[in-house]
Amino acid sequence: MALYSENVMDHFRNPRNVGVIEDADGVGEVGNAACGDIMRIYLKITDNIVSDAKFETFGCGSAIASSSMATELIKGKPLEQALHLTNKAVTEALDGLPLNKLHCSVLAEEAIQAAVKDYYERQGSTGIECPE
Ligand code: FES
């Protein structure tokens, strides 16, 4: 059996939403100290909807595929839904990741949470609970 699903390979070879949103409403950057990979997510928010999402990922193929899939999953969705996107949902959408690569999808979850949190902070909102 192949180590990586077709879907992972597709999002690795043809990543969606790569780049920077210059006037982003929220930016989140996270890293994994063990592997040294870094992921940055940019969000554009319109009427509480994620109207655009882009990423820059300096990392492994699974991290790139996870960023690509995660940004696809949150585009056009309410902000609250983006905030609660789990690495499990990202992994399932990719048709699985090897066990030792699951942390790559966790980076995507954390980067989106950080970007949403940044958005709320810029809005001066204190009333939300962000999962740790
Ligand atoms: Fe660390 Fe993929 S090996 S994010």
Side-chain angles (χ1 to χ4, degrees):
M1 192 181 111
L3 191 56
Y4 293 105
S5 72
E6 292 270 330
N7 222 358
V8 170
M9 293 309 294
D10 177 38
H11 279 265
F12 166 59
R13 291 195 179 111
N14 308 294
R16 283 62 146 185
N17 311 311
V18 177
V20 175
I21 299 176
E22 296 292 349
D23 59 343
D25 298 311
V27 180
E29 181 176 309
V30 294
N32 182 296
C35 65
D37 290 359
I38 296 171
M39 190 180 291
R40 191 179 300 147
I41 300 268
Y42 301 85
L43 299 179
K44 196 78 193 150
I45 311 296
T46 309
D47 295 334
N48 227 37
I49 301 285
V50 179
S51 48
D52 200 8
K54 291 199 180 298
F55 75 90
E56 291 179 304
T57 291
F58 308 95
C60 72
S62 297
I64 290 166
S66 294
S67 318
S68 172
M69 181 55 84
T71 48
E72 284 288 274
L73 288 173
I74 62 170
K75 273 171 73 172
K77 299 284 167 36
L79 202 48
E80 290 71 21
Q81 214 167 311
L83 182 62
H84 293 112
L85 180 76
T86 62
N87 83 298
K88 188 166 179 280
V90 174
T91 305
E92 283 174 3
L94 287 169
D95 299 325
L97 282 170
L99 269 184
N100 65 344
K101 290 289 181 179
L102 283 178
H103 77 273
C104 315
S105 62
V106 172
L107 270 190
E109 174 187 316
E110 291 177 347
I112 289 173
Q113 286 173 359
V116 173
K117 203 172 168 186
D118 179 50
Y119 168 73
Y120 280 125
E121 282 172 5
R122 292 186 198 200
Q123 302 302 306
S125 170
T126 54
I128 64 145
E129 287 181 11
C130 283
E132 291 303 317

